[in-house]
Amino acid sequence: MTDKCKQYEGLFIFGDDEKLTSHLETCEDCRKEHEKMQRVSDLIAEVAPKIREQRRTSARLKMACASFALVILVSTLGVINFNPDVHDTILYGQTMTVEDYGLPVDSYGLIMVD
């Protein structure tokens, strides 16, 4: 049983193309490893445009959702600001005023003190 050659990774990452090709001509183990890496590289190259299109579609969908949320927010704020009944109800809610408690108030709604 012979040991496998472990130079492929080092030559692939740190070596230049000439050293790698000369080593691949002489070493069967590294040639098999190189063929595996080439198949993986071909698969990645085949799938890359589809992944790019998915990312583009996802970005467009996010932009459409953000635009829709912005339109809803602006229209809601417009209704609240320009409709005084809705504005006062939201601003003051259903809280009781001093008049509701039966206390004497002046024309400004402040408690009158004699």
Side-chain angles (χ1 to χ4, degrees):
M1 188 170 209
T2 60
D3 291 333
K4 287 181 133 186
C5 179
K6 298 186 182 196
Q7 294 180 0
Y8 179 74
E9 185 178 348
L11 287 173
F12 184 77
I13 294 173
F14 300 112
D16 58 355
D17 289 338
E18 295 172 5
K19 288 182 183 178
L20 181 63
T21 52
S22 65
H23 182 73
L24 289 175
E25 291 173 359
T26 59
C27 181
E28 184 67 26
D29 293 333
C30 291
R31 189 176 17 245
K32 288 179 183 177
E33 186 70 25
H34 186 68
E35 288 172 4
K36 285 184 202 175
M37 294 296 280
Q38 284 301 110
R39 280 185 265 156
V40 170
S41 178
D42 293 340
L43 285 174
I44 290 172
E46 182 180 332
V47 174
K50 294 176 185 174
I51 292 174
R52 235 180 271 122
E53 185 60 34
Q54 285 179 344
R55 287 183 181 168
R56 220 177 266 137
T57 304
S58 176
R60 288 178 184 154
L61 183 62
K62 288 178 185 177
M63 200 162 81
C65 289
S67 299
F68 179 72
L70 185 65
V71 166
I72 295 296
L73 178 69
V74 167
S75 63
T76 304
L77 289 176
V79 167
I80 290 172
N81 284 335
F82 294 122
N83 190 348
D85 296 335
V86 174
H87 183 264
D88 292 341
T89 304
I90 291 175
L91 186 61
Y92 300 113
Q94 300 297 326
T95 60
M96 295 184 71
T97 62
V98 178
E99 288 179 8
D100 294 336
Y101 289 118
L103 299 172
V105 293
D106 60 3
S107 62
Y108 295 107
L110 302 172
I111 298 175
M112 278 185 16
V113 181
D114 290 330

